[in-house]
Amino acid sequence: MDIRELITLLGTAEKLKNNTRHSWTSSDRHESVAEHSWRACVMAYFLKDEFPEADMGRVMLMCLFHDMGEAFTGDIPAFIKTDMDVKEESRQIGDWLNSLPEPYSGELRGLFEEMDALLTPEARIYKAVDKLEALIQHNEGPLCRWLPNEYELQLTYGAEAVGFSEYMARLREAVNEDSRKKMADGK
């Protein structure tokens, strides 16, 4: 890759370090989009024994790039994201992909298409990891940061994403148990 193209690409990716998410960390600060993507990658790596048939390197790539659109749009929490927001993020991703040289443009375009279609084991694993990591992070942040609508959402968000796997469904239930305990403890 051309050196200037690489520096430009890294400048775009750097925005994910600055763009914060709705989630809070255990130290009571906003989580960055980059931190979410990084931990989703870590999570995917440690799930490789549960999915020996899957290309977990590909899952990790999905986790790494799935929120790249937020470098352009910022994070919009799932509970307020509209269809127009989704279309705009898709447009921005398309423009970004078009700006990349080959083979990166084609490879990443295929990755985004696979993530959107959710037809492969890898895409389904990535989607579940994305949802579950966000819920785990939400449990780790202070309860005083939760909005009123998040109490129910914490117990329902991502449920559809784990149905393909008994393991992921059990993990989701463990996260729900932690959520219920956090709510009961009031912390």
Side-chain angles (χ1 to χ4, degrees):
M1 177 178 281
D2 175 80
I3 289 170
R4 287 289 155 207
E5 286 177 318
L6 178 60
I7 291 170
T8 298
L9 174 102
L10 291 175
T12 300
E14 194 263 348
K15 291 177 183 175
L16 296 178
K17 292 181 181 184
N18 296 317
N19 290 350
T20 57
R21 291 171 53 84
H22 176 68
S23 298
W24 293 79
T25 68
S26 59
S27 66
D28 198 22
R29 68 168 176 77
H30 271 116
E31 171 193 37
S32 75
V33 176
E35 289 168 318
H36 161 68
S37 296
W38 168 79
R39 195 161 81 154
C41 286
V42 170
M43 188 174 169
Y45 174 78
F46 284 107
L47 290 174
K48 67 182 180 178
D49 290 342
E50 300 302 327
F51 300 99
E53 74 287 357
D55 179 349
M56 293 309 279
R58 189 155 182 85
V59 174
M60 291 170 70
L61 273 177
M62 291 176 183
C63 290
L64 184 64
F65 282 100
H66 78 283
D67 276 340
M68 196 66 192
E70 294 182 13
F72 309 105
T73 64
D75 177 61
I76 302 170
F79 56 86
I80 61 171
K81 197 173 215 175
T82 67
D83 288 342
M84 287 296 287
D85 294 327
V86 171
K87 287 178 186 173
E88 178 59 20
E89 187 173 320
S90 293
R91 187 189 69 73
Q92 295 275 0
I93 284 288
D95 290 349
W96 178 69
L97 291 171
N98 289 338
S99 76
L100 297 176
E102 289 297 342
Y104 306 102
S105 179
E107 288 173 3
L108 289 175
R109 188 176 315 285
L111 192 75
F112 277 96
E113 289 169 359
E114 184 178 348
M115 287 188 288
D116 287 344
L118 290 173
L119 297 176
T120 64
E122 290 80 7
R124 288 189 292 273
I125 295 166
Y126 130 74
K127 183 57 90 174
V129 165
D130 177 38
K131 304 289 188 188
L132 290 170
E133 193 286 328
L135 292 168
I136 292 166
Q137 183 62 58
H138 209 58
N139 278 341
E140 292 169 338
L143 188 64
C144 66
R145 298 294 186 182
W146 289 25
L147 299 174
N149 67 330
E150 291 179 302
Y151 288 81
E152 181 180 341
L153 188 60
Q154 185 70 9
L155 299 173
T156 59
Y157 181 73
E160 74 290 343
V162 300
F164 73 97
S165 162
E166 180 186 331
Y167 179 86
M168 293 302 240
R170 287 194 339 257
L171 177 57
R172 177 72 180 86
E173 186 49 42
V175 172
N176 275 358
E177 288 173 23
D178 293 346
S179 300
R180 287 184 197 100
K181 181 174 181 348
K182 182 176 190 71
M183 289 181 235
D185 293 347
K187 295 179 187 175

